[in-house]
């Protein structure tokens, strides 16, 4: 793999290697009247419905890409991971299909639904105070138990896995003009952007972050990976505490811009996706739609745009509360 990141041939080989452990998720035109009234005329929007991936998010692409490269001895020792939920579930799933074990570290604030799903998938769950403590704990597990750390968003193999989503997308929508990708740590956006820009150089790639977890936007502004002191957003699965060098460099090379959305915009987008697209998504899964309806609305007017709907791991109670808050919000606060 070159310094430019994963090339198209490597991405195709990775997709073949992932095989039927990964679903080729559907793309659907979002074109009903309720949605059409919210975007400029002639804006054509497609939903890359990655919420229908194994475990409910894109995360198994990267986790399996990493774990398929482990030696037999490393697999026998097992793996470990740190996550608010989605990556932990993906690692648990990957461990199960590859015949090994997973010990995942999660903050106590993690959604109980996600913690329960990790255990159902066979992982041992270690709860700690916060995401910063989680990274410390996972290093301890590596040292004491010999498990391999599967990073939630960083590294060439992770980018190869997430790049398979980008390649699928441009093959499913050949005349695509722009893609909007949610950013947590940046692993999804890095891989998708690398694939899209190499396959369709003229296609624009935008990242979107919550205002309360804007590590990539800060990093791009500073010219180097930056950290945030605390995550302040309902989109907990986009709440990475820092950007990391490899994914940062790929985003800097291939992403045209990163925009920010607030929690009210995320809730409003969740409500619209539920009402119009009939999708029940977590806040992160609505981030691309929030960006299109907000900061990117005029920039992408009249374009053919794809939104990466990255996940839907949310319990019914939390989902209902977010929709109720969106409905109760003043109309002027909605995009």
């Amino acid at each position: 793999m070159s310094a430019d990141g994963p090339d198209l041939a490597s991405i195709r080989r990775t997709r073949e290697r992932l095989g039927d452990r990964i679903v080729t998720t559907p793309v659907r035109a979002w074109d009903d009247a309720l949605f059409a009234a919210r975007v400029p005329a002639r804006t054509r929007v497609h939903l890359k419905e990655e919420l229908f991936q194994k475990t409910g998010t894109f995360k198994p692409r990267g986790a399996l890409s990493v774990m398929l490269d482990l030696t037999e001895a490393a697999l026998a020792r097992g793996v470990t991971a740190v996550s608010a939920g989605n990556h932990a579930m993906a690692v648990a799933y990957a461990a199960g299909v590859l015949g090994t074990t997973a010990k995942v570290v999660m903050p106590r604030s993690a959604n109980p639904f996600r913690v329960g799903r990790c255990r159902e998938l066979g992982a041992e769950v270690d709860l700690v105070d916060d995401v910063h403590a989680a990274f410390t704990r996972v290093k301890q597990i590596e040292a004491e138990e010999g498990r391999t750390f599967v990073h939630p968003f960083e590294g060439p193999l992770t980018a190869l896995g997430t790049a398979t989503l980008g390649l699928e997308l441009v093959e499913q929508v050949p005349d695509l003009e722009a893609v909007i990708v949610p950013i947590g740590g940046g692993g999804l956006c890095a891989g998708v952007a690398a694939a899209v820009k190499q396959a369709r150089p003229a296609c624009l790639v935008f990242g979107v972050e919550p205002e309360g977890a804007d590590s990539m936007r800060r990093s791009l502004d500073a010219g180097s990976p930056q950290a945030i002191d605390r995550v302040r957003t309902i989109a907990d699965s986009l709440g990475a505490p820092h950007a990391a060098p490899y994914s940062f460099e790929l985003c800097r090379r291939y992403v045209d811009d990163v925009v920010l959305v607030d929690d009210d915009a995320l809730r409003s987008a969740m409500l619209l996706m539920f009402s119009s697209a009939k999708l029940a998504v977590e806040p992160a899964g609505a981030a691309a739609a929030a960006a299109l309806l907000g900061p990117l609305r005029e920039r992408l007017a009249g374009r053919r745009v794809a939104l990466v709907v990255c996940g839907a791991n949310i319990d019914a109670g939390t989902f209902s509360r977010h929709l109720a808050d969106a409905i109760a919000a003043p109309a002027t606060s909605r995009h």
Side-chain angles (χ1 to χ4, degrees):
M1 198 180 308
S2 75
D4 295 336
D7 58 47
L8 294 177
S10 298
I11 297 167
R12 288 193 176 93
R13 286 195 297 271
T14 298
R15 183 63 189 89
E16 291 173 4
R17 196 178 186 198
L18 294 174
D20 60 7
R21 303 179 188 94
I22 291 296
V23 176
T24 297
T25 51
V27 168
R28 175 166 56 111
W30 192 5
D31 59 2
D32 79 322
L34 181 60
F35 173 69
R38 302 282 291 275
V39 294
R42 296 181 298 280
T43 305
R44 295 148 297 170
V45 179
H46 300 265
L47 301 170
K48 176 60 170 167
E49 296 176 325
E50 191 67 8
L51 75 164
F52 298 128
Q53 187 54 261
K54 303 286 188 179
T55 78
T57 74
F58 72 94
K59 286 290 189 178
R61 294 179 188 264
L64 277 165
S65 177
V66 171
M67 291 170 62
L68 283 167
D69 225 45
L70 295 180
T71 65
E72 192 172 316
L75 274 177
R77 291 191 296 271
V79 294
T80 187
V82 55
S83 168
N86 287 335
H87 178 63
M89 280 184 270
V91 170
Y93 163 73
V97 298
L98 295 179
T100 187
T101 62
K103 186 172 186 177
V104 299
V105 184
M106 304 176 71
R108 296 186 198 284
S109 60
N111 189 304
F113 167 79
R114 294 177 181 172
V115 175
R117 285 293 293 131
C118 286
R119 290 178 172 140
E120 288 169 5
L121 288 163
E124 180 182 350
V125 178
D126 194 340
L127 296 175
V128 297
D129 287 340
D130 56 38
V131 70
H132 293 283
F135 276 94
T136 301
R137 174 60 181 140
V138 86
K139 289 179 182 177
Q140 184 181 13
I141 292 169
E142 279 186 283
E144 293 176 355
E145 301 183 26
R147 293 178 180 271
T148 299
F149 175 47
V150 183
H151 199 285
F153 56 82
E154 176 69 343
L157 291 173
T158 299
L160 263 176
T162 59
T164 62
L165 189 160
L167 188 57
E168 279 179 19
L169 178 56
V170 294
E171 290 175 347
Q172 289 167 316
V173 190
D175 53 353
L176 198 59
E177 296 175 277
V179 181
I180 308 176
V181 190
I183 294 179
L188 173 63
C189 194
V192 169
V196 169
K197 285 293 190 181
Q198 290 177 86
R200 301 283 185 275
C203 185
L204 300 172
V205 179
F206 293 94
V208 53
E209 288 184 304
E211 288 182 355
D214 60 343
S215 57
M216 187 60 73
R217 180 66 270 169
R218 294 186 188 204
S219 299
L220 293 170
D221 289 342
S224 62
Q226 302 293 308
I228 55 176
D229 62 338
R230 188 164 63 89
V231 174
R232 301 173 177 86
T233 176
I234 61 171
D236 53 350
S237 53
L238 299 182
H242 60 268
Y246 186 81
S247 51
F248 165 74
E249 288 297 340
L250 288 188
C251 286
R252 180 159 67 169
R253 179 176 180 84
Y254 291 115
V255 176
D256 292 282
D257 197 5
V258 173
V259 300
L260 304 179
V261 294
D262 63 22
D263 284 355
D264 286 342
L266 291 171
R267 293 187 188 97
S268 179
M270 289 173 68
L271 176 61
L272 181 63
M273 294 185 78
F274 183 68
S275 302
S276 171
K278 308 306 178 187
L279 296 177
V281 300
E282 62 183 281
L292 178 67
L293 296 167
L296 295 176
R297 186 178 186 277
E298 300 307 321
R299 290 173 73 176
L300 295 179
R303 306 259 192 160
R304 188 178 296 277
V305 184
L307 311 181
V308 176
V309 185
C310 61
N313 284 321
I314 188 168
D315 65 280
T318 303
F319 179 75
S320 299
R321 284 194 296 275
H322 286 323
L323 262 57
D325 288 344
I327 293 167
T332 53
S333 71
R334 299 179 201 156
H335 295 300

